[in-house]
Amino acid sequence: MEPLSLHFLHEQAGAHFSNLGGREAVADYGDSEAEYRAAREAVALHDASYRETLRITGEDRASFLHGMVTQEVKGLAVGAVAYAALITAKGAMVADARLLKREADLLMDLEPGTGAKVREFLDKYLISEDAELHEATGELALLRLLGPRTPEVLAAALGAPFEPLGAAQSRTVTLAGAPVGVLSPPPFEPHGVDLWVPREALERVWGALVAAGGPHGLKPLGFGALELLRVEAGVPRYGQDMVDTTIPLEANLTSAISYNKGCYIGQEVIARATFRGHMNRKLTGLLLGEAEAVPGTELRKGEKKVGWLTSVVHSPAQGQRVALGYVHRDHLDPGTELTLAEGPTVKVAPLPFRP
């Protein structure tokens, strides 16, 4: 397991650790509920440096990647951020990625454990284009500020007012003496920002944010609380709710797909599914009450299997356990009652679970 760059700093703060795709992450700091409340009501700071980064350079970098992902790349402005999926010729997912177009390169922000797979997939199609793939996880690390007081913390850390970013935008600032890329909010926290930090400046930037956030109630936040925010927002995660047999439309990834771009790997499958107007199954929300269940648990209608759970959390917003899961299209109406394999009744619910 690849340790976090700030392992000892987190250890001093009482962190418990977990393994994500072969990389270390902070699971919690001893009180996930307090961490969650800070992100919802004040501000929280998450070390997401376990995520992986791929950098693409060369004159043909944009046109090459444009043909490899489901999203528009060639038309992106410098500084623009986009969410995309990489899929096989049969339409099944290889991974998902957030893209950042910079003046001299393209960055891909990836789930931990997927970097090598994505690079191998891209390498297979990189033949005569002037494009080079670089592993950049050792160069850049991601931090996440979450919560409504994020602007105040950034302003205090920067020593100047922070103007909110528009959707899918980025800006470079100088924070703790380092050039830091500030990206528009992650999909599960509209008040937050992501910070792409040079890894050699990570400890300095973390310390500056903690100091600036103290008067605003900042707490460090572990992966457990982050997952709770994600599931309540109805956002799927590759490796948990999406795997290498998932078709993006099954996981509601319409925001990752451009229908106006040219050809890309797997486009015909997406086009056929869109023309047909439905998928046989879709990711949806499920209200479990106090029923205990784990990812992979079957969902049934009578004696027939109609789906399965992928993520399960206890939601403060709903006051009960909730889940994400795949359900056959005949049973997707909100309020539809299904049973878990173990017997309890659960209800289909619209996403997100909270605004």
Side-chain angles (χ1 to χ4, degrees), residues 103-116:
E103 193 72 48
D105 59 19
L106 284 159
L107 295 180
M108 301 182 73
D109 169 39
L110 304 165
E111 287 288 339
T114 63

Side-chain angles (χ1 to χ4, degrees), residues 296-300 304-309 325-328 338:
T297 300
E298 287 187 2
L299 293 164
R300 295 182 174 275
K304 186 178 181 181
K305 178 183 175 182
V306 295
W308 67 94
L309 305 182
Y326 288 95
V327 172
H328 190 275
L338 306 174

Side-chain angles (χ1 to χ4, degrees), residues 289-319:
E290 293 307 311
E292 295 189 9
V294 297
T297 300
E298 287 187 2
L299 293 164
R300 295 182 174 275
K301 189 68 173 178
E303 296 299 313
K304 186 178 181 181
K305 178 183 175 182
V306 295
W308 67 94
L309 305 182
T310 58
S311 290
V312 182
V313 298
H314 193 283
S315 165
Q318 291 290 327

Side-chain angles (χ1 to χ4, degrees), residues 211-237:
H216 301 283
L218 182 144
K219 288 185 179 296
L221 178 139
F223 188 74
L226 191 75
E227 282 288 272
L228 180 48
L229 293 166
R230 177 187 70 79
V231 173
E232 284 189 335
V235 176
R237 177 167 66 86

